[in-house]
Amino acid sequence: MVTQPVELATPLRTSKLLGGEHLADQPEAEGHCAFKAALVEPRPGMVVGLYNGNGRDALQVDLLNDSCYVHFSCLLCGTSRGRVRGISIAPRVGEGHIGYAPGERFSVWYSPDYRHLELMLTPEALGELVGDEFERIGDIESGFIMRATPPGSRTIDAAMRLAQRVETPGTSPLLLHAAVLEFLGWHLEGLNRNGVQGAVPLRERKRLLAARERLLEDLSAPPTIAELAMEVGLNQLKLKRGFRSLFGMGVYSLFQRHRMERARELLYHYNVTETALMLGYSNISHFSTAFRKQFGVLPGEARKNTLISVQCPSHLSSGISGSA
């Protein structure tokens, strides 16, 4: 099982990526790379890819899909366009997309600033995960599925969280797998939505996603609302309303949620005081209050339970509790 992200600098002309052959229109330049990909394999039959443009060059390729994966994707930044079987594909930022097209040829174009997350599952692995909900995705036996799910706050949030897990070295396999399931789950939930979230204009949605990324850049020192609004080119009212509409919560609430989730991870390795200081708290009691508000327990208790679970195997801890 591979859980460390592997950076791939892929030449334009020809590359082999997870069984899909990319044949670009442009000639390959010496040392010239059109995009980078970070790939992780949480388990057999499951691959997560995070793709980023190089910031300078657009990428146009013809792609032969010789893999058997079902693809669940989300465009996080930039612009992309595609065409397969005469069908035009132009996902919006934050929009989910489900595709299954083994043996098909695609023509695709990506802007220099594109950022794209993709979860790839074999039909067998997908069936194990979703059970009876499998048929909602489409007719796999037909050999071709191509459908979009409207942008939604939960889908976008799950995509951002999974992208962060992929980019973070040493991410816990359990947390990575949990992020994969959340991303997949909200894709399926998106099949029931009527696209209400799409009411946020595309230009504004891009700025809100940029604001979210900037907000979570440093969990120890967040920017003020005024600073964040100025950086992304929105007024404060649009920023606040946009966060609630697109991400389902306010700016500070979203920041605190991610800050406390990071605190829970840090408590595996550091004591309460060290964790609080690493996350910018000078007052430990304020940190403890925030942590308990998020998880219902004090950070000291959470750390103690973590240490017990790590140091004492489950079969021994159950035996101890049973004999008490």
Side-chain angles (χ1 to χ4, degrees):
M1 176 172 61
V2 179
T3 58
Q4 291 291 336
V6 179
E7 289 290 334
L8 300 180
T10 308
L12 270 173
R13 185 168 60 83
T14 303
S15 68
K16 199 78 171 176
L17 180 61
L18 292 176
E21 186 177 3
H22 298 250
L23 305 173
D25 296 334
Q26 302 94 329
E28 180 180 356
E30 186 70 26
H32 183 72
C33 300
F35 69 90
K36 289 185 178 180
L39 307 172
V40 295
E41 186 180 12
R43 52 170 283 188
M46 174 190 290
V47 179
V48 185
L50 180 62
Y51 306 94
N52 293 278
N54 64 13
R56 301 184 307 273
D57 309 292
L59 172 66
Q60 184 171 348
V61 299
D62 290 329
L63 178 149
L64 173 62
N65 180 26
D66 60 359
S67 74
C68 62
Y69 291 103
V70 183
H71 296 248
F72 298 84
S73 60
C74 184
L75 184 66
L76 302 178
C77 185
T79 307
S80 73
R81 297 191 297 270
R83 193 169 182 81
V84 58
R85 283 195 179 184
I87 302 170
S88 294
I89 306 165
R92 297 171 289 172
V93 171
E95 182 178 69
H97 202 276
I98 303 172
Y100 179 67
E104 298 288 344
R105 282 191 174 272
F106 292 75
S107 294
V108 296
W109 179 90
Y110 298 102
S111 64
D113 62 336
Y114 91 98
R115 181 173 167 83
H116 174 83
L117 178 72
E118 193 153 23
L119 167 63
M120 293 159 272
L121 294 161
T122 62
E124 295 77 17
L126 179 60
E128 290 177 10
L129 291 173
V130 302
D132 294 339
E133 293 190 85
F134 193 98
E135 61 184 28
R136 294 174 53 203
I137 295 166
D139 184 7
I140 291 287
E141 293 184 2
S142 72
F144 186 82
I145 297 171
M146 202 61 57
R147 61 188 304 188
T149 60
S153 61
R154 296 296 188 180
T155 303
I156 295 169
D157 202 36
M160 292 290 201
R161 185 157 30 253
L162 179 54
Q164 184 183 39
R165 300 293 187 211
V166 171
E167 288 184 310
T168 304
T171 292
S172 159
L174 184 60
L175 291 174
L176 177 62
H177 195 259
V180 164
L181 294 180
E182 183 185 20
F183 180 65
L184 176 61
W186 286 113
H187 256 81
L188 297 180
E189 183 65 23
L191 296 175
N192 294 328
R193 290 199 302 266
N194 295 317
V196 175
Q197 294 289 344
V200 179
L202 176 61
R203 186 177 179 184
E204 188 174 327
R205 188 160 63 246
K206 288 182 177 180
R207 293 184 178 186
L208 289 167
L209 287 166
R212 183 189 186 282
E213 187 171 348
R214 170 66 182 90
L215 178 68
L216 302 179
E217 208 171 71
D218 184 354
L219 294 175
S220 67
T224 64
I225 297 289
E227 290 170 339
L228 193 58
M230 184 176 296
E231 284 188 34
V232 300
L234 291 173
N235 64 49
Q236 294 185 43
L237 182 59
K238 278 194 173 182
L239 182 72
K240 293 176 182 178
R241 287 179 175 174
F243 260 68
R244 291 193 179 279
S245 176
L246 197 58
F247 305 124
M249 63 187 73
V251 178
Y252 183 71
S253 295
L254 187 144
F255 174 79
Q256 276 298 95
R257 172 176 156 182
H258 283 266
R259 195 184 201 184
M260 291 302 103
E261 286 179 351
R262 179 58 179 156
R264 185 165 59 177
E265 294 174 13
L266 290 173
L267 286 169
Y268 275 88
H269 311 286
Y270 303 95
N271 64 37
V272 173
T273 299
E274 291 170 332
T275 299
L277 293 175
M278 291 172 71
L279 292 174
Y281 282 93
S282 56
N283 188 313
I284 308 303
S285 65
H286 288 174
F287 167 67
S288 297
T289 299
F291 191 93
R292 182 166 58 181
K293 182 178 179 181
Q294 181 77 19
F295 300 116
V297 295
L298 290 169
E301 297 171 9
R303 174 169 168 75
K304 181 180 178 182
N305 291 337
T306 297
L307 291 175
I308 289 174
S309 65
V310 170
Q311 295 174 2
C312 185
S314 58
H315 68 282
L316 290 180
S317 60
S318 61
I320 293 171
S321 61
S323 61

